[in-house]
Amino acid sequence: MNNYEYIIASLPVLSSDFRGELDCESTLDQIKEQLSSKDRSRFELLLRGFDSDSLGRDFYTAALSSADAFIKGYFLYDLCVRNCRVRYLNHRLGRPEDTDVLNILGEDYEFEDEAKVNDILAGSDILARERALDDLMWAEIDELCELQVFTADVIFAFVAKLHIVARWLKLDAETGKQLFKQLVDEIRNNKKSIE
């Protein structure tokens, strides 16, 4: 049995004066070591979703079949956003709309945030578009874990946010620092509310 309380409480206490040093791998290794074998396999599936070489039909089929609500919900949203991006690019390049789109959700599936994603993609500032898309993902992560405190999904949500922060540290250090501070504040507020 997992001790989610211990794992969540032991997530790094990160200082608000963060200056750009983030050891994602070490943090992920520490989390992984504390998980049960069942949760570790779900954790591995989650991590594969952050490896662009893994993102294909087989991965999304596995993720959408996961018994874990966070993994299923997160990668459903991720797939929908990616498909919107591909359709947008197809339109801009004059290609058929569904070229390179992963159609595994069925024709009747409607992505409720499609209009939001398309509005973001229509923007001219590339960094602003990427930030807005990551803000959408961040909000979805929060929604998927709403009202949860000591669950595997809270840990998985932390990992998903950690990947967003790490990406921004590579793209734009200042934005990465702001996101990192936001993640730290969220963790601190969560810990205070359960004490």
Side-chain angles (χ1 to χ4, degrees):
M1 180 172 171
N2 278 310
N3 185 354
Y4 296 132
E5 295 91 344
Y6 177 76
I7 296 170
I8 292 165
S10 69
L11 290 174
V13 176
L14 308 167
S15 68
S16 58
D17 63 344
F18 176 70
R19 295 288 181 254
E21 294 298 319
L22 175 62
D23 191 351
C24 267
E25 292 306 313
S26 175
T27 302
L28 296 175
D29 288 343
Q30 289 172 11
I31 292 170
K32 183 179 174 180
E33 288 171 6
Q34 299 176 68
L35 293 172
S36 69
S37 58
K38 178 182 173 185
D39 284 334
R40 195 173 295 137
S41 68
R42 291 190 279 186
F43 183 74
E44 294 290 341
L45 178 62
L46 175 67
L47 293 183
R48 277 199 340 249
F50 299 111
D51 174 10
S52 58
D53 293 336
S54 297
L55 298 179
R57 181 173 299 278
D58 291 342
F59 169 77
Y60 282 106
T61 299
L64 298 181
S65 301
S66 175
D68 184 86
F70 178 82
I71 290 173
K72 187 175 186 173
Y74 178 82
F75 287 111
L76 171 62
Y77 199 84
D78 179 72
L79 175 63
C80 291
V81 169
R82 288 177 190 276
N83 280 342
C84 283
R85 289 177 91 148
V86 171
R87 284 188 184 101
Y88 177 81
L89 288 173
N90 287 341
H91 175 74
R92 299 271 303 187
L93 298 171
R95 297 169 48 178
E97 182 180 279
D98 283 338
T99 303
D100 299 325
V101 171
L102 280 176
N103 287 318
I104 60 176
L105 300 176
E107 304 227 354
D108 294 336
Y109 184 81
E110 289 186 34
F111 178 41
E112 64 185 37
D113 285 345
E114 184 172 358
K116 286 182 188 176
V117 174
N118 287 334
D119 286 346
I120 291 168
L121 293 172
S124 59
D125 183 329
I126 293 172
L127 276 179
R129 284 192 320 229
E130 290 301 312
R131 174 63 195 258
L133 289 172
D134 279 344
D135 287 346
L136 269 182
M137 293 302 295
W138 195 286
E140 182 66 13
I141 292 166
D142 285 341
E143 190 172 315
L144 288 168
C145 290
E146 195 171 36
L147 304 177
Q148 295 186 46
V149 180
F150 294 122
T151 66
D153 286 351
V154 171
I155 297 165
F156 296 162
F158 172 84
V159 170
K161 287 180 176 181
L162 193 61
H163 277 84
I164 291 172
V165 171
R167 185 170 98 88
W168 277 99
L169 285 172
K170 291 177 189 170
L171 292 173
D172 172 17
E174 190 55 41
T175 301
K177 288 176 189 176
Q178 290 170 2
L179 285 172
F180 198 63
K181 183 179 182 324
Q182 181 180 342
L183 182 57
V184 169
D185 291 344
E186 287 177 10
I187 291 169
R188 285 184 178 158
N189 290 337
N190 235 2
K191 286 181 181 177
K192 286 178 186 173
S193 69
I194 58 178
E195 289 175 347

